Amino acid sequence: MDIGKLERIDETVWRIPATGRMRVPVLIYADEALIRDMDDKVAEQAANVATLPGIVGACYVMPDAHWGYGFPIGGVAAFDPEEGGVVSAGGVGFDISCGVRTLTTGLRREAVEAVKQTLAEALFAAIPAGVGSRGEIRLDDAEMTAMLRGGARWAVERGYGRPEDLERIEERGCMADADPAQVSARARERQRREMGTLGSGNHYLEVQVVEQIFDPEVAEVFDLRPGEIVVTIHCGSRGLGHQIASEFLKKMQRAAKAAGIELPDRELACAPIDSPAGQSYLGAMRAGINCALANRQIITHLVRRVFGEFFPEADLKLIYDVSHNTCKQETHEVEGRRRELFVHRKGATRAFGPGHPALPAVFRPVGQPVIIGGSMGTGSYILVGRPESEKRALSSACHGAGRCLSRRQATKIWKGREVVAQLEQEGILVRSPSMRGVAEEAPQAYKSVDAVVRAAERAGLAKRVARLRPLICIKG
Amino acid sequence: MTRAPGWEHFEHMADIGVRGYGRTPAEAFAQAAIALTAVVTDPAKVRPEEKVEIELERDDDGDLELLLVDFLDAVIYEMAVRKMLFGRFEVTIDDYRLKAVLWGEPVDRERHQPAVEVKGATYTELKVARTDDGCWLAQCVLDV
């Protein structure tokens, strides 16, 4: 990105002032190196978002941002319904409530290293991953509706996981005000055989070791100790979420036109929050969030079953489950007053600071765990929300490393088998049904996750607690 | 310039763009659909064993670009629910509807090595237009 176009506020904050049809400025959180590597399209897309009706504060851009569709990936924007604010299907994205959860195991690294190969095979066999895979669970229409209303709570009631998991999930495992009636027959059909499946692309299941602790006090609260094993699951709402997104992207073209909203990009199709189309989308999207929460809960159950076979003494406890493609109604102080806003986070994680009432009691003294998925070769992070994060970006932080090479470029440079062999030398076992898929997800196709989280910390979005290094990676 | 008919991919940072060329919009659509399959696997590896038909009512006010997104989304839907891949497409478009016949087979993970699942067609870089040499181009970015 051409930094000549930006106003530099401080070391990690950059501003594009509101000009033309922009209603608010754009604020980008990144260091100079990350900014220089960022695509110019990120600035263009963020400036487009800033023109949408009812946007409040600024369009915020996270340090891992890259060129998306409509919204940049790593974009945060909040809208006030009292000022004609809108909700945008493109602002949430195709993989509704795509997210990450991490479980502690209490196991030492040595225990896993001793059975690494067979554990990798067992996980790969137990968790359906990749194109053409099917889940064991088939839902009839009534059960589908119950799942869409109940989320992870539904899953726990059906025996997938434990009641104590629920408070370790955003929204306590169940997104309120979901409206399954707004989820079409086609979206349901697409989900019928997809419950408890990982998906493909950048989705994964990893067995990781806690490599480094940055904040021992918070790490203690999160139950993270150096040399111990954790399991991280990254996936979303599967076919159901994708279908909801496709259908509402189209419906919102018309809704925007009917509401007289001039769109700088068709992908930004939106509807006023207080309109039938806006409410219909919110109901469907919340049901999509519940689908993602239920899906990650079922996969958690499958992971526990596999670990139980290898380590009967191991107790897999959920640290937290965060979603990074959502629109949520939240109260934030903007321009000196508390306002009820609809916050879109597209490729951005909610990062509530200490004391936030939405957090379970255990996290209230320290803040929310913010889980950042890196590429399969580098590592992941657990951060914690900061008190200043609300003022910075409406309590939001980055979500991953962010790509720096396209899939096409990646397959031109790397072969899947070479990537697998290279990672095996580094002690990381990759299992995937597709070698081309592995090449497309080669670690070097991603930005440095270390640089991204350092920038997030310096910008006051979230603070580093622990770095995790993968030992086993199941790729879709 | 690719001579019609044909297809190619174009760059998008997180995802991938598909582009079809044809002598008619319908032919360009069919080629764009092959490009879609090529995101997942080599279309030449997909055997035309089963036939699936798609019919879309045109409610797009004559907007061919919206119709392209609808068509690709319909193909993605059939791929997802049938767990199939398609290697050959015949498309016809008139004023009222789009009809397509898709030939393909169930996903064979060994033989197809499917790289990635396509989530949906987007409105990004969406374009259906005549090119300078008189052929039709149909393109958009897919979310994968």
Side-chain angles (χ1 to χ4, degrees):
Chain A
M1 186 180 293
D2 179 4
I3 62 167
K5 290 184 198 158
L6 308 174
E7 279 176 19
R8 187 168 198 164
I9 308 289
D10 63 32
E11 217 187 332
T12 50
V13 187
W14 310 71
R15 187 166 178 271
I16 304 173
T19 54
R21 294 179 49 226
M22 288 168 70
R23 295 166 198 256
V24 293
V26 170
L27 285 176
I28 307 176
Y29 296 98
D31 62 25
E32 191 171 330
L34 287 168
I35 285 271
R36 283 189 188 280
D37 284 345
M38 233 176 242
D39 200 299
D40 280 312
K41 291 267 188 189
V42 172
E44 190 187 302
Q45 291 187 324
N48 283 343
V49 172
T51 70
L52 295 178
I55 186 166
V56 163
C59 175
Y60 307 95
V61 177
M62 302 293 111
D64 53 337
H66 55 87
W67 180 26
Y69 7 84
F71 275 58
I73 314 288
V76 177
F79 298 84
D80 188 341
E82 287 180 7
E83 293 179 6
V86 294
V87 57
S88 167
V92 172
F94 279 81
D95 201 356
I96 295 168
S97 198
C98 181
V100 199
R101 61 165 57 185
T102 299
L103 303 130
T104 57
T105 66
L107 296 166
R108 301 292 308 168
R109 177 177 184 164
E110 304 74 56
V112 163
E113 291 285 359
V115 293
K116 201 168 170 184
Q117 199 88 26
T118 44
L119 179 61
E121 300 304 339
L123 287 168
F124 187 45
I127 287 101
V131 181
S133 63
R134 289 175 197 263
E136 293 284 319
I137 303 156
R138 270 176 193 259
L139 301 182
D140 65 20
D141 216 47
E143 267 301 274
M144 182 78 73
T145 297
M147 181 275 287
L148 294 173
R149 197 169 280 130
R153 197 176 294 165
W154 167 87
V156 169
E157 282 165 9
R158 298 296 182 275
Y160 305 108
R162 317 191 288 224
E164 60 267 33
D165 293 338
L166 295 175
E167 76 154 14
R168 300 300 189 106
I169 303 173
E170 284 180 333
E171 321 304 333
R172 291 185 162 74
C174 175
M175 187 72 213
D177 300 321
D179 185 357
Q182 304 303 323
V183 178
S184 71
R186 282 167 82 86
R188 288 160 182 259
E189 186 56 37
R190 242 174 115 167
Q191 192 61 20
R192 215 162 293 282
R193 294 299 306 273
E194 307 242 307
M195 291 311 294
T197 63
L198 204 52
S200 67
N202 61 0
H203 295 154
Y204 60 78
L205 182 152
E206 283 187 351
V207 177
Q208 304 158 324
V209 60
V210 180
E211 189 179 48
Q212 195 181 350
I213 298 282
F214 299 87
D215 187 327
E217 230 165 275
V218 179
E220 196 54 41
V221 176
F222 293 175
D223 215 9
L224 291 164
R225 279 169 284 277
E228 285 195 358
I229 295 295
V230 297
V231 179
T232 297
I233 298 161
H234 176 210
C235 64
S237 50
R238 310 292 302 111
L240 182 126
H242 310 162
Q243 190 68 25
I244 291 172
S246 291
E247 290 172 8
F248 278 92
L249 211 49
K250 186 177 171 190
K251 284 183 193 162
M252 283 184 171
Q253 304 287 334
R254 291 209 184 90
K257 209 176 191 180
I261 300 166
E262 220 179 293
L263 298 175
D265 175 346
R266 284 212 267 206
E267 198 73 32
L268 287 176
C270 57
I273 293 159
D274 287 332
S275 72
Q279 288 300 311
S280 166
Y281 174 69
L282 283 168
M285 186 264 310
R286 288 167 181 152
I289 291 178
N290 281 333
C291 179
L293 298 181
N295 196 41
R296 290 196 287 273
Q297 188 64 30
I298 292 169
I299 294 174
T300 299
H301 171 75
L302 300 175
V303 170
R304 281 183 175 140
R305 219 156 57 178
V306 173
F307 268 74
E309 288 163 18
F310 282 80
F311 312 103
E313 75 290 1
D315 185 15
L316 275 65
K317 289 186 198 152
L318 185 54
I319 301 177
Y320 209 48
D321 177 301
V322 296
S323 295
H324 47 231
N325 286 349
T326 57
C327 174
K328 288 187 176 174
Q329 189 173 355
E330 296 170 10
T331 313
H332 288 284
E333 191 174 316
V334 185
E335 287 145 13
R337 61 194 174 94
R338 305 295 288 171
R339 295 159 84 168
E340 277 298 304
L341 302 174
F342 286 75
V343 185
H344 295 66
R345 293 188 183 87
K346 173 137 174 215
T349 314
R350 186 152 85 177
F352 283 145
H356 197 282
L359 295 178
V362 58
F363 298 139
R364 234 168 271 163
V366 294
Q368 182 202 309
V370 177
I371 307 169
I372 308 299
S375 73
M376 59 185 162
T378 52
S380 299
Y381 278 87
I382 295 185
L383 317 182
V384 64
R386 304 292 295 159
E388 61 268 33
S389 176
E390 182 176 28
K391 273 208 172 64
R392 291 301 222 175
L394 306 175
S395 304
S396 308
C398 49
H399 83 305
R403 286 192 89 91
C404 60
L405 281 182
S406 72
R407 293 178 178 279
R408 193 157 161 257
Q409 288 168 321
T411 46
K412 278 186 186 161
I413 303 173
W414 300 291
K415 292 264 170 290
R417 280 178 216 293
E418 292 163 14
V419 174
V420 170
Q422 175 63 36
L423 289 174
E424 192 160 351
Q425 276 191 358
E426 294 168 24
I428 304 162
L429 283 186
V430 179
R431 288 292 174 273
S432 171
S434 169
M435 283 304 116
R436 180 172 146 194
V438 169
E440 292 185 1
E441 291 292 323
Q444 297 90 334
Y446 283 85
K447 291 177 203 173
S448 155
V449 69
D450 303 301
V452 166
V453 296
R454 247 193 332 262
E457 180 170 299
R458 274 162 53 201
L461 302 176
K463 186 174 185 293
R464 285 175 294 178
V465 177
R467 190 182 198 281
L468 314 172
R469 180 187 156 77
L471 297 178
I472 296 171
C473 175
I474 309 298
K475 268 279 176 197
Chain B
M1 179 59 63
T2 310
R3 289 173 66 91
W7 61 267
E8 64 192 9
H9 290 151
F10 62 93
E11 296 286 336
H12 181 275
M13 183 54 81
D15 297 297
I16 198 160
V18 292
R19 181 180 290 147
Y21 295 99
R23 285 157 296 196
T24 60
E27 199 173 71
F29 276 38
Q31 291 294 323
I34 299 177
L36 185 161
T37 298
V39 171
V40 187
T41 192
D42 177 358
K45 286 185 186 160
V46 181
R47 296 171 184 156
E49 285 171 1
E50 284 177 51
K51 187 169 97 168
V52 173
E53 292 182 34
I54 291 177
E55 189 170 326
L56 299 171
E57 294 288 331
R58 291 190 64 178
D59 54 0
D60 51 37
D61 303 325
D63 186 330
L64 280 170
E65 293 183 343
L66 294 182
L67 186 64
L68 175 69
V69 172
D70 268 3
F71 166 61
L72 294 176
D73 276 342
V75 174
I76 291 164
Y77 176 82
E78 299 300 336
M79 289 163 75
V81 300
R82 296 174 192 271
K83 312 280 180 205
M84 279 180 73
L85 292 166
F86 301 100
R88 219 177 99 202
F89 300 85
E90 265 176 34
V91 181
T92 55
I93 302 172
D94 65 22
D95 289 344
Y96 306 101
R97 57 185 62 80
L98 175 149
K99 285 186 187 175
V101 186
L102 289 48
W103 279 274
E105 62 171 328
V107 175
D108 178 332
R109 301 196 343 153
E110 272 306 301
R111 187 156 46 81
H112 295 130
Q113 285 287 305
V116 74
E117 181 180 53
V118 180
K119 294 173 185 162
T122 78
Y123 293 81
T124 300
E125 307 282 311
L126 172 60
K127 198 171 164 188
V128 177
R130 237 180 220 286
T131 61
D132 292 341
D133 62 1
C135 78
W136 282 85
L137 166 156
Q139 69 169 48
C140 74
V141 167
L142 302 177
D143 190 343
V144 297

